[in-house]
Amino acid sequence: MFVILLAISIGAVFAMQTAINAQLRNFVISPFLASMISFAVGVIFLAITILVSSLPLGIPLDLFLSQPIFIWLGGICGAVAVTTNILLFPKLGSVQTAIMPILGMTLMSMLIDNYGWINSVQYSFGLNRVFGVLLVIIGVFLAVAIPSMKTNQYPSEATKKNMLNQWIWRLVGIMSGILLATQIAINGQLGKVLNSSSHAAFVSFFVGTITLIIVVGVMDRSYTNIKEPIKQSAPWWVWIGGILGGAYVLINVFLVDQIGNGQTVVLVLFGQITGSLMVEKFGLFNSFKNQIKPIQIFGLIVMIVGVFLIRVF
């Protein structure tokens, strides 16, 4: 029971990380800078965790020459995905920012498993997995499309344009999920090479941080806004998004060892969806409060059933 509650809780924490990072962006203005801060905090947190565990922080140099270059680049996918979620949050709200990437993650992970991409173990499509994907798609339709149709039965031209923009952002959310699934697969292989999931997480966060430092330098040409949250007396919690992200990675490693990958994915995603509902329902972390419709909850349940069929059977 403790492990089950831990899995659901860390999923909810991950949903809250996006809300926190979105609020950090309000102070630093740039989504790239907000993402950079989150990753940098995550790197420090993971480094401290590794050192406290009495493990060496360094990585043997010969591994950089003997391994394919893609195995070190998972952090780039993570950096893009986190930045994308920061952009999505004010456009789509907490629930849709959670479920659109889940759709992308589900579809991409199915392809990775089926074709054995990124040196992954190959699992061919089965009837239960195909049915599971259909349920996930139906769940997304129920949670996203139907409420939108009911709200805008007779849309004006401005409303139609806004609806089109929202669907564009939803597609961006799906792409974010595809990147997250790719990052998970890459980090899984890196963990095997390093014989340490915590070191793989550290490398991923470190590469993501370096990537975002470069992006901020090119796009924003200034790092001065990093001081704005302090100047404006921002709440303390705007700084902890990276800690939550690092804890999410580490606890997932523990959960997979305890209950297996399939059940971990299902329980964590259930927690992630539950957390996103709480954020949107109660307007947590100064986010926009929105009424949750019963059809959305039903759609999310259908999604979880679909993920269960894909990941457990």
Side-chain angles (χ1 to χ4, degrees):
M1 181 59 70
F2 168 75
V3 172
I4 291 173
L5 291 175
L6 181 62
I8 295 173
S9 298
I10 198 60
V13 163
F14 185 74
M16 293 176 186
Q17 180 201 22
T18 301
I20 290 171
N21 287 342
Q23 288 304 311
L24 178 61
R25 181 204 175 180
N26 289 338
F27 291 97
V28 300
I29 308 303
S30 166
F32 307 110
L33 187 56
S35 192
M36 186 197 81
I37 293 170
S38 182
F39 265 77
V41 171
V43 164
I44 296 170
F45 170 76
L46 289 167
I48 292 172
T49 302
I50 292 172
L51 293 173
V52 168
S53 302
S54 300
L55 296 172
L57 194 60
I59 296 170
L61 292 176
D62 60 303
L63 287 177
F64 289 101
L65 300 175
S66 61
Q67 298 299 320
I69 190 170
F70 77 83
I71 208 169
W72 308 103
L73 302 181
I76 297 177
C77 296
V80 175
V82 169
T83 306
T84 300
N85 282 352
I86 292 174
L87 291 168
L88 288 176
F89 191 85
K91 303 289 184 181
L92 300 179
S94 177
V95 174
Q96 292 192 51
T97 300
I99 65 177
M100 300 315 293
I102 287 175
L103 176 58
M105 286 177 66
T106 302
L107 296 175
M108 187 61 181
S109 63
M110 287 276 290
L111 291 173
I112 290 172
D113 287 348
N114 187 67
Y115 294 106
W117 291 341
I118 318 177
N119 297 328
S120 300
V121 178
Q122 190 169 359
Y123 296 102
S124 299
F125 282 139
L127 185 60
N128 60 297
R129 299 189 113 202
V130 173
F131 185 58
V133 170
L134 289 175
L135 285 179
V136 170
I137 294 172
I138 291 171
V140 171
F141 180 78
L142 291 173
V144 174
I146 289 183
S148 178
M149 291 176 184
K150 287 184 176 181
T151 304
N152 302 289
Q153 292 183 4
Y154 305 102
S156 63
E157 286 301 318
T159 302
K160 288 180 181 178
K161 185 177 180 179
N162 182 59
M163 290 171 63
L164 176 61
N165 287 335
Q166 283 209 321
W167 278 107
I168 291 172
W169 283 112
R170 287 163 185 157
L171 290 175
V172 171
I174 293 173
M175 293 301 299
S176 171
I178 290 172
L179 288 174
L180 285 172
T182 303
Q183 181 196 27
I184 291 169
I186 291 174
N187 286 349
Q189 292 303 309
L190 182 59
K192 293 177 183 177
V193 169
L194 300 177
N195 198 29
S196 169
S197 297
S198 56
H199 279 79
F202 173 76
V203 170
S204 182
F205 269 72
F206 182 79
V207 171
T209 301
I210 297 300
T211 301
L212 287 163
I213 288 173
I214 295 171
V215 170
V216 170
V218 173
M219 300 297 293
D220 299 338
R221 300 183 181 181
S222 172
Y223 301 92
T224 56
N225 278 354
I226 200 171
K227 298 180 292 186
E228 287 303 312
I230 299 174
K231 287 182 178 180
Q232 299 181 42
S233 301
W236 62 269
W237 45 260
V238 300
W239 300 101
I240 67 170
I243 295 176
L244 299 184
Y248 173 83
V249 172
L250 290 178
I251 292 176
N252 265 280
V253 173
F254 168 76
L255 292 170
V256 169
D257 183 59
Q258 295 294 312
I259 59 177
N261 185 66
Q263 292 186 56
T264 296
V265 170
V266 172
L267 291 170
V268 169
L269 287 182
F270 177 76
Q272 187 176 336
I273 289 173
T274 302
S276 67
L277 286 170
M278 291 172 59
V279 169
E280 189 154 325
K281 172 69 175 177
F282 300 107
L284 301 180
F285 304 108
N286 296 334
S287 60
F288 181 74
K289 187 185 295 186
N290 197 15
Q291 187 66 34
I292 304 299
K293 301 176 178 64
I295 189 67
Q296 288 180 291
I297 297 176
F298 179 68
L300 296 175
I301 293 172
V302 172
M303 279 186 67
I304 287 295
V305 173
V307 172
F308 181 80
L309 289 174
I310 294 168
R311 303 303 302 184
V312 176
F313 290 102

Short mmCIF file of all heavy atoms in Angstrom, two decimals, residues 193-216:
data_model
loop_
_atom_site.label_atom_id
_atom_site.label_comp_id
_atom_site.label_asym_id
_atom_site.label_seq_id
_atom_site.Cartn_x
_atom_site.Cartn_y
_atom_site.Cartn_z
N VAL A 193 24.31 1.39 -19.27
CA VAL A 193 25.73 1.62 -19.57
C VAL A 193 26.48 2.06 -18.31
O VAL A 193 27.59 1.58 -18.03
CB VAL A 193 25.87 2.68 -20.68
CG1 VAL A 193 27.33 3.12 -20.82
CG2 VAL A 193 25.36 2.13 -22.00
N LEU A 194 25.87 2.97 -17.54
CA LEU A 194 26.51 3.50 -16.34
C LEU A 194 26.30 2.61 -15.12
O LEU A 194 26.91 2.83 -14.07
CB LEU A 194 25.99 4.90 -16.04
CG LEU A 194 26.20 5.97 -17.12
CD1 LEU A 194 25.56 7.29 -16.70
CD2 LEU A 194 27.68 6.16 -17.40
N ASN A 195 25.41 1.64 -15.28
CA ASN A 195 25.04 0.75 -14.18
C ASN A 195 24.50 1.54 -12.99
O ASN A 195 24.70 1.19 -11.83
CB ASN A 195 26.23 -0.11 -13.73
CG ASN A 195 25.80 -1.31 -12.91
OD1 ASN A 195 24.70 -1.83 -13.08
ND2 ASN A 195 26.66 -1.74 -11.99
N SER A 196 23.81 2.63 -13.30
CA SER A 196 23.26 3.49 -12.25
C SER A 196 22.19 4.40 -12.84
O SER A 196 22.48 5.25 -13.68
CB SER A 196 24.37 4.35 -11.63
OG SER A 196 23.82 5.35 -10.79
N SER A 197 20.95 4.22 -12.40
CA SER A 197 19.86 5.07 -12.88
C SER A 197 19.99 6.49 -12.36
O SER A 197 19.62 7.45 -13.05
CB SER A 197 18.51 4.48 -12.45
OG SER A 197 18.31 3.22 -13.03
N SER A 198 20.52 6.65 -11.15
CA SER A 198 20.68 8.00 -10.59
C SER A 198 21.73 8.79 -11.37
O SER A 198 21.56 9.99 -11.61
CB SER A 198 21.06 7.93 -9.11
OG SER A 198 22.24 7.16 -8.93
N HIS A 199 22.81 8.11 -11.82
CA HIS A 199 23.81 8.78 -12.63
C HIS A 199 23.24 9.13 -14.02
O HIS A 199 23.56 10.18 -14.57
CB HIS A 199 25.06 7.92 -12.80
CG HIS A 199 25.99 7.98 -11.63
ND1 HIS A 199 25.77 7.27 -10.47
CD2 HIS A 199 27.13 8.69 -11.42
CE1 HIS A 199 26.74 7.52 -9.61
NE2 HIS A 199 27.58 8.40 -10.15
N ALA A 200 22.40 8.24 -14.55
CA ALA A 200 21.76 8.52 -15.84
C ALA A 200 20.86 9.75 -15.73
O ALA A 200 20.85 10.61 -16.62
CB ALA A 200 20.95 7.31 -16.29
N ALA A 201 20.12 9.86 -14.63
CA ALA A 201 19.27 11.02 -14.41
C ALA A 201 20.12 12.29 -14.28
O ALA A 201 19.76 13.35 -14.83
CB ALA A 201 18.42 10.83 -13.15
N PHE A 202 21.25 12.19 -13.57
CA PHE A 202 22.14 13.34 -13.39
C PHE A 202 22.69 13.81 -14.74
O PHE A 202 22.69 15.01 -15.04
CB PHE A 202 23.30 12.98 -12.46
CG PHE A 202 24.35 14.05 -12.36
CD1 PHE A 202 24.13 15.19 -11.61
CD2 PHE A 202 25.56 13.92 -13.03
CE1 PHE A 202 25.09 16.19 -11.52
CE2 PHE A 202 26.52 14.90 -12.96
CZ PHE A 202 26.29 16.05 -12.20
N VAL A 203 23.14 12.86 -15.57
CA VAL A 203 23.66 13.21 -16.90
C VAL A 203 22.57 13.88 -17.73
O VAL A 203 22.81 14.89 -18.40
CB VAL A 203 24.20 11.97 -17.63
CG1 VAL A 203 24.51 12.28 -19.10
CG2 VAL A 203 25.45 11.44 -16.94
N SER A 204 21.36 13.33 -17.68
CA SER A 204 20.25 13.88 -18.45
C SER A 204 19.96 15.32 -18.03
O SER A 204 19.81 16.21 -18.87
CB SER A 204 19.00 13.01 -18.26
OG SER A 204 17.93 13.49 -19.03
N PHE A 205 19.88 15.58 -16.73
CA PHE A 205 19.63 16.93 -16.23
C PHE A 205 20.79 17.86 -16.57
O PHE A 205 20.58 19.04 -16.90
CB PHE A 205 19.39 16.90 -14.72
CG PHE A 205 17.94 16.72 -14.35
CD1 PHE A 205 17.30 15.51 -14.53
CD2 PHE A 205 17.20 17.78 -13.81
CE1 PHE A 205 15.97 15.33 -14.18
CE2 PHE A 205 15.87 17.61 -13.46
CZ PHE A 205 15.25 16.39 -13.65
N PHE A 206 22.02 17.35 -16.47
CA PHE A 206 23.19 18.17 -16.75
C PHE A 206 23.20 18.60 -18.22
O PHE A 206 23.42 19.78 -18.52
CB PHE A 206 24.47 17.39 -16.42
CG PHE A 206 25.74 18.17 -16.62
CD1 PHE A 206 26.15 19.10 -15.69
CD2 PHE A 206 26.50 17.99 -17.77
CE1 PHE A 206 27.32 19.84 -15.88
CE2 PHE A 206 27.66 18.72 -17.97
CZ PHE A 206 28.08 19.65 -17.02
N VAL A 207 22.97 17.65 -19.13
CA VAL A 207 22.93 17.97 -20.56
C VAL A 207 21.78 18.94 -20.85
O VAL A 207 21.94 19.88 -21.63
CB VAL A 207 22.77 16.68 -21.40
CG1 VAL A 207 22.51 17.01 -22.87
CG2 VAL A 207 24.03 15.82 -21.28
N GLY A 208 20.64 18.71 -20.22
CA GLY A 208 19.51 19.63 -20.40
C GLY A 208 19.83 21.03 -19.93
O GLY A 208 19.46 22.02 -20.58
N THR A 209 20.55 21.14 -18.80
CA THR A 209 20.93 22.45 -18.27
C THR A 209 21.87 23.18 -19.22
O THR A 209 21.68 24.37 -19.51
CB THR A 209 21.61 22.29 -16.89
OG1 THR A 209 20.71 21.63 -16.00
CG2 THR A 209 21.98 23.65 -16.32
N ILE A 210 22.91 22.48 -19.71
CA ILE A 210 23.85 23.09 -20.65
C ILE A 210 23.13 23.54 -21.91
O ILE A 210 23.37 24.65 -22.43
CB ILE A 210 24.98 22.10 -21.02
CG1 ILE A 210 25.80 21.74 -19.77
CG2 ILE A 210 25.90 22.70 -22.08
CD1 ILE A 210 26.45 22.91 -19.08
N THR A 211 22.23 22.69 -22.41
CA THR A 211 21.46 23.04 -23.60
C THR A 211 20.66 24.33 -23.39
O THR A 211 20.66 25.23 -24.24
CB THR A 211 20.49 21.89 -23.97
OG1 THR A 211 21.22 20.70 -24.21
CG2 THR A 211 19.67 22.23 -25.20
N LEU A 212 20.01 24.42 -22.25
CA LEU A 212 19.17 25.59 -21.98
C LEU A 212 19.99 26.85 -21.70
O LEU A 212 19.56 27.96 -22.03
CB LEU A 212 18.24 25.30 -20.80
CG LEU A 212 17.09 24.33 -21.16
CD1 LEU A 212 16.46 23.75 -19.91
CD2 LEU A 212 16.05 25.03 -22.02
N ILE A 213 21.17 26.70 -21.11
CA ILE A 213 22.07 27.85 -20.93
C ILE A 213 22.43 28.44 -22.30
O ILE A 213 22.41 29.66 -22.49
CB ILE A 213 23.34 27.44 -20.16
CG1 ILE A 213 23.00 27.16 -18.69
CG2 ILE A 213 24.41 28.53 -20.26
CD1 ILE A 213 24.15 26.60 -17.89
N ILE A 214 22.72 27.55 -23.26
CA ILE A 214 23.05 28.01 -24.61
C ILE A 214 21.84 28.65 -25.27
O ILE A 214 21.94 29.72 -25.90
CB ILE A 214 23.57 26.83 -25.46
CG1 ILE A 214 24.89 26.30 -24.89
CG2 ILE A 214 23.76 27.25 -26.92
CD1 ILE A 214 25.36 25.01 -25.53
N VAL A 215 20.67 28.01 -25.12
CA VAL A 215 19.44 28.54 -25.74
C VAL A 215 19.10 29.91 -25.19
O VAL A 215 18.75 30.83 -25.95
CB VAL A 215 18.27 27.55 -25.53
CG1 VAL A 215 16.94 28.20 -25.94
CG2 VAL A 215 18.49 26.27 -26.32
N VAL A 216 19.18 30.08 -23.87
CA VAL A 216 18.89 31.38 -23.25
C VAL A 216 19.87 32.43 -23.78
O VAL A 216 19.48 33.57 -24.08
CB VAL A 216 18.98 31.28 -21.72
CG1 VAL A 216 18.92 32.69 -21.09
CG2 VAL A 216 17.83 30.44 -21.18
#
